[in-house]
């Protein structure tokens, strides 16, 4: 069985591509933040895209978020060139400060919210999804402190965790929209100024 591999070297953005006005390394942390200049303000969400593909995998990312906005980790995603070279659509493990959205599954550019935090969902082709509650309490998480996000995707089952607790457990039975493999990427959201930083992004295929 493969070991986890660190995707961020702590020094530069080797292995990643993104808008240089958004993505950098600050104090050894992979950093995405809203551009300061008014003429550079984001018209759409933008991403740092890892130079590789993921199919069945586990991911462990350590992050923190500042600002009145949200972020996320995109996986099995597809390029969306109509919105520029750093636009991505597909599954997202959402880094969102609202308690019901923290660690949810969002289908960027597609079905939207697929499962809110605290839900076990089977996504159906006819849109009549099966939704059951997960065990546990889902209090707000302070995302400005270092937070651990885990994603495990095997076949059509997608499980997200925040700080070790399962936030969503999704089985995607919608063949029109399900993705088996694709890109891995980190989001800076358009809108209010924000900053997201990662100190570790580990992947095991």
């Amino acid at each position: 069985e493969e070991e986890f591999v660190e995707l961020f070297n702590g020094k530069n953005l080797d292995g990643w591509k993104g808008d240089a006005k958004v993505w950098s390394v600050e104090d050894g942390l992979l950093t995405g933040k809203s551009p300061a200049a008014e003429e550079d303000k984001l018209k759409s969400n933008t991403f740092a895209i890892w130079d590789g593909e993921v199919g069945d995998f586990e991911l462990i990312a350590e992050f923190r978020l500042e600002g009145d906005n949200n972020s996320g980790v995109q996986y099995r995603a597809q390029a969306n060139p109509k919105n520029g070279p750093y636009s991505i659509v597909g599954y997202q493990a959402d880094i969102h400060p609202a308690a019901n959205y923290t660690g949810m599954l969002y289908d960027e550019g597609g079905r939207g919210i697929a499962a809110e935090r605290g839900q076990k969902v089977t996504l159906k082709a006819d849109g009549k999804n099966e939704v059951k509650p997960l065990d546990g309490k889902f209090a707000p998480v302070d995302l400005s402190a270092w937070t651990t996000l885990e994603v495990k995707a095997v076949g059509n089952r997608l499980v997200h965790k925040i700080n070790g607790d399962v936030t969503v457990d999704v089985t995607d039975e919608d063949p029109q929209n399900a993705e088996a493999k694709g890109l891995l990427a980190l989001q800076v959201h358009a809108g209010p100024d924000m900053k997201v930083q990662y100190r570790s992004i580990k992947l095991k295929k």
Side-chain angles (χ1 to χ4, degrees):
E1 190 172 6
E2 280 194 43
E3 295 299 307
F4 280 94
V5 175
E6 177 62 63
L7 303 185
F8 169 53
N9 65 19
K11 297 177 289 189
N12 55 43
L13 295 176
D14 286 359
W16 297 83
K17 60 178 183 289
D19 186 341
K21 293 174 182 173
V22 176
W23 298 97
S24 64
V25 176
E26 288 185 7
D27 302 322
L29 303 173
L30 197 164
T31 302
K33 59 185 178 182
S34 307
E38 196 60 40
E39 65 270 19
D40 295 331
K41 292 295 182 189
L42 298 176
K43 295 178 177 63
S44 59
N45 300 338
T46 191
F47 296 83
I49 304 165
W50 179 61
D51 184 21
E53 264 200 342
V54 293
D56 288 354
F57 70 95
E58 289 182 63
L59 179 94
I60 304 174
E62 296 175 34
F63 73 90
R64 63 187 180 189
L65 176 70
E66 297 173 23
D68 184 22
N69 207 327
N70 69 92
S71 182
V73 174
Q74 226 45 50
Y75 62 93
R76 293 184 180 177
Q78 311 303 315
N80 183 37
K82 75 175 191 295
N83 275 359
Y86 308 118
S87 180
I88 292 291
V89 294
Y91 295 134
Q92 182 186 119
D94 211 308
I95 294 172
H96 199 297
N100 59 321
Y101 291 160
T102 309
M104 72 174 173
L105 177 62
Y106 187 78
D107 186 0
E108 177 104 357
R111 293 166 288 183
I113 296 172
E116 290 193 24
R117 182 177 175 214
Q119 292 182 340
K120 183 172 184 175
V121 177
T122 302
L123 299 172
K124 297 291 193 178
D126 61 5
K128 295 177 181 175
N129 301 335
E130 295 173 4
V131 182
K132 298 175 182 175
L134 289 170
D135 291 337
K137 294 179 179 177
F138 300 96
V141 179
D142 178 9
L143 300 183
S144 68
W146 286 109
T147 305
T148 301
L149 169 70
E150 296 176 67
V151 178
K152 186 172 184 178
V154 180
N156 67 345
R157 189 171 177 201
L158 316 167
V159 177
H160 300 172
K161 294 180 182 179
I162 292 284
N163 293 335
D165 296 324
V166 174
T167 54
V168 297
D169 184 340
V170 177
T171 303
D172 196 343
E173 296 182 352
D174 177 359
Q176 289 292 323
N177 293 292
E179 299 286 359
K181 64 179 182 178
L183 300 168
L184 178 70
L186 314 173
Q187 183 193 65
V188 164
H189 208 285
D193 284 353
M194 61 160 290
K195 180 178 181 178
V196 65
Q197 294 185 300
Y198 294 84
R199 63 184 180 187
S200 177
I201 305 164
K202 292 178 180 171
L203 178 71
K204 181 168 76 170
K205 293 189 177 182

